[in-house]
Amino acid sequence: SLVPPTPGPLAVAELLRVNMGVMIAGGCIVGAICAAAGYLFALYINSRITIPLRETAGSTVEELKQLSARDERDLPPLWLALLPILLPVVFITGHEILAAEWKPYVAADPTGWHAQVLNITGTLGHKNISLLIAAAIAVGTVVWKCRISRDQLAKVIEECVLDAGTIILITAAGGAFGGVLQHTGIAGRIADLTPHDQTWLLPIAFLVTAAIRTAQGSATVAMLTAGGVFQALVISPTTPLAFHPVYLALAIGCGSKVLPWMNDSGFWVITRMSGMREQETLRTQTPMLVVMGCTGVVVTMLGAWLFPLV
């Protein structure tokens, strides 16, 4: 919900014209605090609710109990498992940092080695290229550790591409809905609600995103819709924002966490893979994400107030 290159924050950053490196840095900071709040809530709820170990779609209770060190050795090393996730973040953020630091050198010598290095990091740090490299590493890891045949690999990739197609359609629908709402002039009406203190735009963006997320279930659609609604405040504002638009993007990301329930596909993934009942997920995961989202928007408001970055 907060850190590109996942689809929601990536699209919102582009809609609100937030530098990708800034979005990643801000998302990591706010996300770390949200994760800490979620972990503390998990400790609390674990002391209040006892949920037994149950069979899941992929394994029985006996199989879970019989996991051994031999099974763990069949898994890829931790650094390799994390590499497809971390590599795009490192490439994108690294290029943005170098571009900011070396800007005077490139301006003085556009053909010098600084410019040549930035061309390379710019290619690697492009969101599509970095994600393609990460995907290739993930596929290579599967082939290496699972020793699957070419036909099996083709089947796995086919299933993933079909899932990606669904995500693309959902993303497009959310963007279109946000564009329709933008043309209603709703952004100007929202801005008029906070003429004296624009910091209150952040909880409004949070609540709008949370309402859309609760109503239709998809966090990505909620972020894209809210991003389209608030885009006018950044692109053609009647009054310039009193803080960096990254805070608006982060508030939207925090709002997309709130109130997952039965209309959310992620709710069912967690329920089925953990072996929990629906009521147990509603009593554990749902309030945990509410705590994380509310913590995030409070931190975002404090950041916009103390460090507006404008």
Side-chain angles (χ1 to χ4, degrees):
S1 297
L2 295 171
V3 183
T6 47
L10 182 66
V12 170
E14 292 181 347
L15 285 171
L16 301 183
R17 298 184 179 178
V18 178
N19 178 279
M20 205 58 63
V22 174
M23 185 67 189
I24 290 174
C28 287
I29 294 170
V30 176
I33 297 172
C34 290
Y39 178 70
L40 292 175
F41 179 83
L43 294 178
Y44 165 78
I45 202 68
N46 282 345
S47 66
R48 298 292 189 277
I49 299 175
T50 300
I51 300 176
L53 191 63
R54 301 191 184 101
E55 293 186 359
T56 64
S59 59
T60 65
V61 174
E62 288 302 319
E63 289 173 338
L64 292 173
K65 291 179 177 179
Q66 291 173 4
L67 289 176
S68 63
R70 179 181 58 80
D71 299 309
E72 293 182 4
R73 284 195 297 269
D74 291 336
L75 297 174
L78 179 61
W79 66 268
L80 183 57
L82 293 176
L83 198 59
I85 301 172
L86 296 180
L87 201 63
V89 175
V90 172
F91 280 165
I92 294 172
T93 308
H95 171 69
E96 298 294 346
I97 293 173
L98 287 178
E101 292 291 331
W102 290 357
K103 187 176 181 179
Y105 302 105
V106 175
D109 185 7
T111 60
W113 70 270
H114 290 92
Q116 299 299 325
V117 172
L118 282 182
N119 285 336
I120 296 172
T121 59
T123 300
L124 294 175
H126 189 279
K127 59 182 184 296
N128 294 330
I129 298 297
S130 60
L131 287 173
L132 183 63
I133 295 172
I137 293 173
V139 172
T141 303
V142 171
V143 173
W144 171 47
K145 296 304 292 186
C146 299
R147 297 178 178 84
I148 61 178
S149 65
R150 181 180 300 179
D151 291 339
Q152 291 172 320
L153 178 62
K155 184 178 180 181
V156 170
I157 294 178
E158 181 183 354
E159 292 174 353
C160 294
V161 170
L162 289 174
D163 291 339
T166 303
I167 294 173
I168 291 172
L169 290 174
I170 291 173
T171 302
F177 186 35
V180 170
L181 291 178
Q182 181 183 342
H183 285 289
T184 66
I186 190 173
R189 298 295 183 90
I190 292 174
D192 292 340
L193 297 176
T194 58
H196 305 297
D197 187 359
Q198 287 189 331
T199 306
W200 290 102
L201 281 173
L202 299 177
I204 292 175
F206 170 85
L207 291 173
V208 168
T209 311
I212 299 170
R213 150 77 147 143
T214 305
Q216 52 76 45
S218 170
T220 302
V221 170
M223 293 185 71
L224 282 165
T225 304
V229 169
F230 289 92
Q231 186 181 33
L233 299 180
V234 177
I235 294 179
S236 55
T238 54
T239 303
L241 283 177
F243 46 80
H244 196 284
V246 68
Y247 292 112
L248 190 58
L250 292 174
I252 290 173
C254 293
S256 71
K257 290 182 175 295
V258 176
L259 284 179
W261 60 297
M262 280 78 161
N263 64 353
D264 173 27
S265 59
F267 175 92
W268 293 107
V269 169
I270 290 177
T271 301
R272 296 291 180 248
M273 293 185 67
S274 65
M276 289 195 292
R277 306 285 189 256
E278 289 82 356
Q279 303 94 316
E280 293 168 342
T281 309
L282 287 171
R283 294 175 62 192
T284 53
Q285 187 226 6
T286 298
M288 183 177 71
L289 288 184
V290 171
V291 168
M292 293 172 69
C294 292
T295 300
V297 74
V298 170
V299 171
T300 301
M301 291 179 66
L302 288 174
W305 182 50
L306 296 174
F307 311 103
L309 303 179
V310 292

